[in-house]
Amino acid sequence: MASSKKLTIDDIAAAAGVSKATVSRYLNGHRELMSEKTWERIKTVIGVSDYKPSAIASNLKKRTTNLIGVSIADITSPFSVALIMGISRCLDENGYTLLISNSGDSLEKEKNNIDSLISKGASGLLVNTSAYDNDFLIETSCKGVPIVLCDRKIRNYTLDVVTSDHEAGMRTLIQHLREKGYSRPVLFTQNCEQNSTRMRRRESFIQAVEEIYGYSPKEQEDIFIIDHSEGISTVSQLQRLKKSLKEDDVPAVIGTNSITTARAYHGISELGMSMPDEIGLCGPEDWDWSNELNWPYMIRPHVTTLKVPSTEIGYRAAQRLLQKLQHPDLLPEEISLHCVLNARESTQLKGK
Amino acid sequence: MASSKKLTIDDIAAAAGVSKATVSRYLNGHRELMSEKTWERIKTVIGVSDYKPSAIASNLKKRTTNLIGVSIADITSPFSVALIMGISRCLDENGYTLLISNSGDSLEKEKNNIDSLISKGASGLLVNTSAYDNDFLIETSCKGVPIVLCDRKIRNYTLDVVTSDHEAGMRTLIQHLREKGYSRPVLFTQNCEQNSTRMRRRESFIQAVEEIYGYSPKEQEDIFIIDHSEGISTVSQLQRLKKSLKEDDVPAVIGTNSITTARAYHGISELGMSMPDEIGLCGPEDWDWSNELNWPYMIRPHVTTLKVPSTEIGYRAAQRLLQKLQHPDLLPEEISLHCVLNARESTQLKGK
DNA sequence: TTGTACGCGTTATCAG
DNA sequence: CTGATAACGCGTACAA
């Protein structure tokens, strides 16, 4: 019942009548370094005992662990969850364990978390960063800590990063809207300042519209900032959009992420606008692991999305990090995964 | 630029011209154990260096960490995510870090994970277990590892556990259906064998129907097992339900969890049944942190749910674990949190 | 094939 | 107030 006292390698050695060096060899699978008999004896002793080597002590000696630190900008987002799933799967397959921390979109918190992850022996970091301006990550990387960024990049420095191809994805989406007959694509987004993903989507939007529609979207007219903290609600922006419509204009809202898209959906319902005829709606879809619980697919009309391979981003990032652990001199690279268009009812304007 | 070499307490001691013991005292805030001057000198030295104490070495010595191991049965479920959020918030507030592992609903994996978490120095365990029959957890607890179960219990042994009050919740739901005029409440569930939560919900269903409707629900007629792996689809079960209906019977499906409820929703749509008039639908709602992305609230008709305080379960479980860490002799207790009925359109049968 | 001795970075003890 | 020094549990040259 009681946990008399934690067994150590010495106890095992004593019980097996060998030295702890030999036990250590057994533990590390150096079968060739001892006789069959010794091997078996140790095996037996350990078998009946419930001895568990202390990973802590082992780490202290080896100066490396199989812990991977994960810093998530905002764990409440579906994207983060998918990311963690992917990371978890890969690390699992390779015998690593996740050390998770959430920075709640605060850079200060992120710094503390990362320091803490490192001091706890994380041998590498997977970072979904909260800040685009991030000297701290640069310093950390320079100190020799292997880092792979997940989805979001940082300014002015090349770190390993795994993202999705927002540019191509946005082009696909805009192309789709054009084909369906929407004449006025607009972007609904939150503030982009410290969020490289939103920035990139915004840029991609502008470029894609230029390419495909042949005009330059304007900051004020075609890009709508939603900022609940400043009282700029989705509904008010939708109303502004509605007023700005010219004759025969059929608008389509592109949400910059799941939340924005969902909010736009709610706003459109609230205003009683008819979708997809009066207004179209589409956006990214981060939740890539279960269609059954996936709202774009559950609601009516089903919402057209750009499926972001969130889980795979996590998986690949983890994979890359493990690579870097083995080959510390690998040069940073950017891995960009494809997004897939899921055309559904919310953008089915014409009989196309 | 390069990480010359990790700084140790010795380096700091040398630089400050004191012994490492003194530095250690400084690090642990024993201000009273040294002169103001010494304190300041060390402070300065550490300030300019980027020395970070090694938590590993410290742990080895102190034989305790501020790592909490979390074992999740199935990380892909929304409930798990909410749970982790709650855990994360509490541990965060108290300076602990999460060590997360996912057992993918496999007991074998769960065992391995827990062993690994312990060997990595987790000072306590938060377990959302995958198996109701679970001697392993009992043994582990007996060995002195502090454990708090999250949501799911185990058979034949009292461990600390934080759950939601399924019994009362189910009663509320059934009462609601009765009031709304549904005459035939049925439960849709997956297999319950190793899942205490499903088992409890099933039992609660039976009891509540007896109490409120005054008859005993039958295994075959009123409880529908969905098992995709065995080819028993939601649609086929709905059809079976439909055929079994007597004149004037108005059925209402209760899903045993988010997935089942969502599947029932899809099935009902597919069969073109009209909700809430021809059939009602309700179920638990695990995703308790963002209504904007919450499908029961997004789809039409909005789905009536029993809101499970998933995040709070995590929070309270973590809290309880920290308590146990300080007072190892605390007797196990069960904390049961209330669920809240969110009556919405999917059960709005009459003009009630 | 096996054992000895030492080091890893920190904390605790005890002496000064 | 401060400093040596001995643990902590394990890994690994090096010796036997």
Side-chain angles (χ1 to χ4, degrees):
Chain A
M1 209 67 176
S3 66
S4 49
K5 192 172 64 217
K6 190 87 169 86
L7 288 174
T8 77
I9 198 172
D10 284 306
D11 301 323
I12 302 300
V18 297
S19 80
K20 61 182 192 173
T22 310
V23 178
S24 174
R25 290 182 188 116
Y26 170 89
L27 291 173
N28 293 295
H30 294 295
R31 197 159 197 151
E32 72 284 3
L33 292 182
M34 73 192 77
S35 68
E36 186 69 18
K37 263 171 68 177
T38 310
W39 179 271
E40 289 303 329
R41 191 157 64 249
I42 299 179
K43 184 170 183 173
T44 310
V45 173
I46 291 192
V48 299
S49 79
D50 60 347
Y51 167 68
K52 302 274 163 44
S54 149
I56 308 197
S58 164
N59 294 336
L60 177 59
K61 176 65 192 169
K62 292 190 303 191
R63 316 196 48 53
T64 171
T65 64
N66 44 185
L67 258 38
I68 297 295
V70 180
S71 172
I72 299 288
D74 170 22
I75 208 176
T76 69
S77 113
F79 171 77
S80 305
V81 180
L83 193 67
I84 293 175
M85 280 186 47
I87 293 173
S88 162
R89 185 165 348 122
C90 177
L91 294 188
D92 230 66
E93 291 169 1
N94 293 278
Y96 284 77
T97 305
L98 278 78
L99 215 40
I100 289 197
S101 65
N102 172 34
S103 33
D105 272 329
S106 143
L107 176 57
E108 210 45 47
K109 192 106 191 303
E110 181 174 312
K111 287 183 189 176
N112 288 334
N113 286 341
I114 288 181
D115 273 343
S116 151
L117 292 173
I118 293 175
S119 95
K120 293 196 171 115
S123 28
L125 256 32
L126 257 13
V127 181
N128 171 232
T129 183
S130 59
Y132 186 54
D133 291 300
N134 202 325
D135 293 340
F136 178 74
L137 277 183
I138 300 177
E139 283 167 29
T140 307
S141 169
C142 288
K143 277 180 204 154
V145 181
I147 298 185
V148 176
L149 299 181
C150 299
D151 192 54
R152 304 188 187 173
K153 311 182 190 182
I154 60 174
R155 188 201 294 280
N156 286 337
Y157 201 78
T158 315
L159 292 180
D160 277 274
V161 55
V162 179
T163 45
S164 52
D165 189 343
H166 303 105
E167 289 72 19
M170 189 59 84
R171 244 185 335 260
T172 311
L173 214 48
I174 301 284
Q175 182 66 43
H176 168 78
L177 294 178
R178 171 98 206 225
E179 280 165 14
K180 289 300 176 185
Y182 290 95
S183 55
R184 178 88 187 283
V186 298
L187 185 69
F188 272 42
T189 179
Q190 294 134 298
N191 271 322
C192 301
E193 277 153 36
Q194 285 299 323
N195 186 310
S196 76
T197 300
R198 286 180 204 158
M199 285 178 35
R200 287 175 61 197
R201 294 218 172 119
R202 191 163 148 284
E203 290 310 308
S204 312
F205 169 78
I206 295 176
Q207 276 196 22
V209 171
E210 281 175 357
E211 271 179 44
I212 293 165
Y213 278 83
Y215 68 87
S216 295
K218 309 256 182 355
E219 288 292 321
Q220 297 299 324
E221 295 168 31
D222 303 300
I223 299 179
F224 293 77
I225 310 282
I226 311 298
D227 190 338
H228 285 197
S229 65
E230 305 228 342
I232 308 176
S233 74
T234 311
V235 168
S236 67
Q237 292 291 48
L238 279 169
Q239 283 167 328
R240 191 160 74 76
L241 167 62
K242 217 169 159 183
K243 276 191 204 123
S244 78
L245 256 30
K246 308 197 172 49
E247 189 111 8
D248 292 336
D249 250 7
V250 188
V253 171
I254 301 170
T256 199
N257 54 30
S258 291
I259 297 262
T260 324
T261 311
R263 286 185 182 160
Y265 168 77
H266 285 121
I268 291 170
S269 300
E270 198 174 321
L271 291 177
M273 297 175 81
S274 107
M275 184 161 83
D277 295 326
E278 191 181 347
I279 190 168
L281 176 64
C282 57
E285 176 178 324
D286 295 322
W287 183 296
D288 65 343
W289 72 87
S290 158
N291 249 326
E292 291 172 320
L293 293 174
N294 194 17
W295 68 262
Y297 179 68
M298 294 190 80
I299 65 181
R300 288 296 167 135
H302 292 332
V303 174
T304 294
T305 61
L306 199 58
K307 191 155 189 162
V308 179
S310 317
T311 305
E312 205 191 340
I313 289 178
Y315 189 91
R316 296 290 296 274
Q319 212 172 36
R320 174 75 186 160
L321 183 58
L322 298 187
Q323 261 182 37
K324 292 192 62 163
L325 255 29
Q326 300 199 328
H327 312 285
D329 296 328
L330 243 37
L331 260 31
E333 69 180 34
E334 172 171 341
I335 299 176
S336 193
L337 306 178
H338 284 296
C339 299
V340 176
L341 178 71
N342 278 337
R344 298 199 268 238
E345 301 160 355
S346 71
T347 53
Q348 191 62 32
L349 178 56
K350 296 272 163 63
K352 296 228 176 184
Chain B
M1 213 64 173
S3 68
S4 48
K5 192 173 65 217
K6 190 85 170 86
L7 286 175
T8 77
I9 199 172
D10 283 307
D11 301 321
I12 301 300
V18 298
S19 81
K20 58 184 190 172
T22 309
V23 178
S24 174
R25 290 183 188 117
Y26 170 88
L27 291 173
N28 294 296
H30 295 294
R31 196 156 199 152
E32 72 284 3
L33 292 182
M34 72 192 77
S35 66
E36 187 69 18
K37 264 171 69 176
T38 311
W39 180 272
E40 289 303 329
R41 191 156 66 250
I42 300 180
K43 183 171 184 172
T44 310
V45 172
I46 291 192
V48 299
S49 79
D50 61 347
Y51 166 69
K52 301 274 161 46
S54 151
I56 309 199
S58 166
N59 294 337
L60 176 58
K61 181 62 191 169
K62 290 191 305 194
R63 321 204 37 56
T64 171
T65 64
N66 45 185
L67 259 39
I68 296 295
V70 180
S71 172
I72 299 289
D74 170 21
I75 207 175
T76 69
S77 111
F79 171 77
S80 305
V81 179
L83 194 67
I84 292 175
M85 279 186 46
I87 293 173
S88 164
R89 182 164 351 121
C90 176
L91 294 188
D92 230 66
E93 290 169 0
N94 293 278
Y96 284 77
T97 304
L98 279 78
L99 214 42
I100 289 196
S101 66
N102 172 33
S103 34
D105 271 329
S106 144
L107 176 58
E108 210 46 47
K109 192 105 189 302
E110 180 174 310
K111 286 184 190 174
N112 289 332
N113 286 341
I114 288 182
D115 273 343
S116 152
L117 292 173
I118 293 175
S119 96
K120 287 184 178 127
S123 23
L125 256 33
L126 256 13
V127 182
N128 172 232
T129 183
S130 59
Y132 186 55
D133 291 300
N134 202 326
D135 293 340
F136 178 74
L137 276 184
I138 299 176
E139 283 167 29
T140 308
S141 169
C142 289
K143 277 179 203 154
V145 182
I147 298 185
V148 176
L149 299 182
C150 298
D151 192 55
R152 304 190 188 173
K153 311 182 190 182
I154 61 175
R155 187 201 297 279
N156 283 339
Y157 201 78
T158 314
L159 291 180
D160 277 275
V161 56
V162 179
T163 45
S164 52
D165 188 343
H166 302 106
E167 289 72 18
M170 188 59 84
R171 240 181 342 255
T172 311
L173 214 49
I174 301 285
Q175 182 65 43
H176 168 79
L177 293 178
R178 171 97 206 229
E179 280 165 14
K180 288 300 175 185
Y182 290 95
S183 56
R184 179 86 188 283
V186 298
L187 184 70
F188 272 41
T189 178
Q190 294 135 299
N191 270 321
C192 301
E193 278 154 34
Q194 286 298 322
N195 186 310
S196 76
T197 300
R198 286 180 204 158
M199 285 179 31
R200 286 176 61 197
R201 294 218 172 119
R202 190 163 147 284
E203 291 312 308
S204 312
F205 169 79
I206 296 176
Q207 278 196 21
V209 171
E210 282 176 355
E211 272 179 42
I212 294 164
Y213 278 82
Y215 69 86
S216 294
K218 309 255 178 3
E219 288 292 320
Q220 297 299 322
E221 295 168 30
D222 303 299
I223 298 177
F224 293 77
I225 309 283
I226 311 298
D227 190 339
H228 284 197
S229 66
E230 304 226 344
I232 309 178
S233 73
T234 311
V235 168
S236 66
Q237 292 291 48
L238 279 169
Q239 283 167 327
R240 192 160 73 76
L241 167 62
K242 217 171 159 180
K243 274 190 207 127
S244 78
L245 256 30
K246 309 199 172 50
E247 189 112 7
D248 294 334
D249 252 6
V250 189
V253 171
I254 300 169
T256 199
N257 54 30
S258 291
I259 299 262
T260 324
T261 312
R263 285 185 182 159
Y265 167 77
H266 284 120
I268 290 170
S269 301
E270 198 173 319
L271 291 178
M273 297 174 81
S274 106
M275 187 160 83
D277 296 325
E278 190 180 348
I279 189 168
L281 177 64
C282 57
E285 176 177 325
D286 295 322
W287 183 297
D288 64 343
W289 72 88
S290 157
N291 249 326
E292 290 173 319
L293 293 174
N294 193 17
W295 67 263
Y297 180 66
M298 294 190 79
I299 65 181
R300 290 294 167 133
H302 292 333
V303 174
T304 294
T305 61
L306 200 58
K307 191 151 189 164
V308 179
S310 317
T311 305
E312 204 192 338
I313 290 179
Y315 189 91
R316 296 290 296 274
Q319 212 171 36
R320 175 74 186 161
L321 182 57
L322 298 188
Q323 260 182 38
K324 292 192 62 162
L325 255 30
Q326 300 198 330
H327 311 285
D329 295 328
L330 242 37
L331 257 33
E333 68 180 34
E334 172 170 341
I335 298 176
S336 193
L337 306 177
H338 282 296
C339 300
V340 175
L341 178 70
N342 278 336
R344 297 198 270 237
E345 302 160 353
S346 70
T347 53
Q348 191 62 35
L349 179 55
K350 296 270 162 67
K352 295 226 178 188

